[in-house]
Amino acid sequence: MKPAIRPFSPDKIYGHMDRVKEWLETGKSRPITYEIDPTNLCSHDCPRCFGRHPKRDRSRLPRTLLLSIIRQIRDHGGRGITFTGGGDPLASPCTVEAVRHARSLGLDVGFITNAQALDEKTARALLADCQWLRVSLDAATPEVFRRTHGMGEVHFRKVLDNVRLLCRLKKETGSSCTVGIGFLTSKETARDIYAFAVLGKELGVDYAQYRPLLRRLGEPAIDYGDGSVVAEMRRAAALSTETSRVLCSEHKYELIQKGDIARKYGKCYGQEFAAVVAADGRMYVCCHMRGMGKYALGDLSKESLAELWNGEKRRRTAAGVDFKDCPPLCRCGSFSSILWNIKENGASTESSKEPSDHPNFI
């Protein structure tokens, strides 16, 4: 499947071998990439959302705590922050200020939003301070949008208008922020895959990205279809150009095609380098474990990030991850496999591949 998918390649971990070697030598790690959920509130009602559903949880990081956490991330050696959810970041009045604060501290910033609440002032601010911004669209038609986001055609058209606004302002301001749209693939959404790439070109985004939908704890396995998903992505990939790319997490789709999504590693080492701060002020093992008490590492409203990260509770929780609770093709899985081979099998710490875009977002 072409073209290359370097922005979403798991081997970006090779760009941080200083941290990996520090971990190998001392047994202590420091996260490279952080995800922050400013709030669990959201304007959409996605039935398969991994975040904390707003009808059940209305948590929001207070402004003072949010800004403090960002500074602590910088002080603890963080290199990139993705503002995500949880809910939608734009549902918090503190988010734009937090983005500006993170950038002022020298951190790279990414942003994931449903774009429903975007306006020109906010769009200009995000384009000025983010390295990349992705709109979770997950549809090319109102029908599939209703299925994936639980919202009607009026909301769908508003999101499209806001993506066009982003692309127009990017050109007007000369912003270097990469603007993309995201699509979670499954058998249920296969009908919109090709049309999604066409829509991306019409909207003027830098990329349209495909990722496999993941199951949540307690749900049945995802039906990835009879090959139609990959076939449609191959059709879509033919639309890719230098200025409007069609991308996917290709390594994950290769495993799906082979019917081989079982883990090839014995421990989750990816969590040592990618951290999650949820809207309830707690850190969790990973983004898929938000809100699960057994995988809470500690509460940042009660202890510092450094104290929490270096504490015995985090070490016990990290060591106790049960893969039965984890979805296949998970967030940390691909580079966990790389780290397992380095730590347990003595694999080389050198990569022969070209550097990736946005290296501080592993």
Side-chain angles (χ1 to χ4, degrees):
M1 194 177 298
K2 298 298 181 180
I5 40 71
R6 302 301 300 154
F8 308 105
S9 177
D11 58 26
K12 286 199 284 188
I13 191 67
Y14 284 109
H16 302 278
M17 277 299 114
D18 58 331
R19 290 294 178 78
V20 174
K21 290 176 180 177
E22 177 183 291
W23 168 63
L24 292 171
E25 292 169 2
T26 68
K28 295 182 180 180
S29 66
R30 289 181 292 157
I32 296 159
T33 303
Y34 287 78
E35 292 187 9
I36 289 185
D37 303 343
T39 181
N40 285 334
L41 293 174
C42 189
S43 55
H44 286 190
D45 192 19
C46 305
R48 304 300 293 274
C49 181
F50 256 104
R52 303 292 299 282
H53 199 286
K55 292 178 182 176
R56 297 195 302 269
D57 189 319
R58 303 176 65 84
S59 298
R60 177 168 68 85
L61 287 170
R63 174 184 177 275
T64 302
L65 178 60
L66 176 57
L67 298 182
S68 172
I69 290 170
I70 292 169
R71 182 171 291 278
Q72 290 179 69
I73 286 172
R74 192 279 308 270
D75 293 345
H76 197 60
R79 294 172 176 174
I81 294 178
T82 300
F83 290 84
T84 181
D88 187 81
L90 295 180
S92 168
C94 308
T95 298
V96 172
E97 180 185 2
V99 167
R100 187 180 305 114
H101 181 59
R103 191 65 192 135
S104 73
L105 294 175
L107 293 161
D108 284 353
V109 178
F111 203 90
I112 301 173
T113 177
N114 65 31
Q116 192 74 62
L118 201 65
D119 58 24
E120 182 166 342
K121 180 179 179 181
T122 301
R124 287 181 180 275
L126 295 178
L127 288 169
D129 288 319
C130 293
Q131 274 63 50
W132 58 269
L133 188 156
R134 187 174 77 232
V135 175
S136 299
L137 185 55
D138 305 303
T141 62
E143 294 75 22
V144 172
F145 188 72
R146 183 174 286 105
R147 182 176 299 172
T148 58
H149 282 245
M151 307 302 288
E153 183 171 356
V154 171
H155 297 86
F156 178 65
R157 300 299 176 193
K158 175 62 173 175
V159 172
L160 296 188
D161 286 344
N162 286 343
V163 175
R164 292 188 185 96
L165 172 67
L166 273 170
C167 295
R168 175 176 63 81
L169 291 175
K170 176 181 174 175
K171 290 181 180 179
E172 289 180 5
T173 62
S175 169
S176 61
C177 176
T178 302
V179 176
I181 51 176
F183 189 106
L184 293 171
T185 64
S186 69
K187 186 177 181 179
E188 293 180 345
T189 61
R191 56 177 280 190
D192 268 16
I193 288 176
Y194 181 79
F196 182 74
V198 174
L199 177 61
K201 295 178 74 67
E202 185 270 319
L203 293 172
V205 297
D206 297 308
Y207 69 87
Q209 181 208 6
Y210 301 102
R211 293 176 296 131
L213 180 70
L214 302 185
R215 70 157 177 80
R216 296 177 298 186
L217 183 64
E219 292 182 338
I222 299 293
D223 183 353
Y224 290 110
D226 55 3
S228 60
V229 167
V230 174
E232 285 299 287
M233 284 197 301
R234 283 178 173 154
R235 285 184 64 214
L239 299 175
S240 191
T241 66
E242 286 297 317
T243 57
S244 182
R245 293 179 292 174
V246 178
L247 308 170
C248 74
S249 301
E250 186 172 357
H251 53 289
K252 295 185 178 181
Y253 288 102
E254 288 176 352
L255 294 174
I256 290 171
Q257 280 188 288
K258 294 175 183 176
D260 185 21
I261 60 176
R263 287 174 171 78
K264 301 298 191 299
Y265 51 91
K267 291 184 180 180
C268 177
Y269 289 142
Q271 62 173 300
E272 302 285 350
F273 300 97
V276 174
V277 179
D280 60 7
R282 291 176 172 84
M283 294 185 72
Y284 291 90
V285 164
C286 79
C287 58
H288 306 306
M289 305 302 187
R290 288 184 183 98
M292 295 175 61
K294 68 189 270 189
Y295 291 119
L297 306 178
D299 188 337
L300 290 173
S301 68
K302 299 177 180 177
E303 56 187 322
S304 72
L305 190 152
E307 290 170 338
L308 184 158
W309 191 261
N310 295 320
E312 182 58 30
K313 178 173 171 46
R314 187 192 79 87
R315 284 192 286 272
R316 288 198 312 270
T317 305
V321 171
D322 185 346
F323 286 157
K324 293 178 182 178
D325 296 335
C326 305
L329 307 171
C330 68
R331 164 78 174 80
C332 293
S334 299
F335 60 96
S336 279
S337 183
I338 293 172
L339 293 166
W340 175 264
N341 284 328
I342 290 173
K343 183 174 175 63
E344 307 296 338
N345 299 329
S348 173
T349 57
E350 302 297 327
S351 173
S352 61
K353 296 188 178 183
E354 294 296 316
S356 300
D357 296 340
H358 308 138
N360 289 331
F361 300 91
I362 58 175

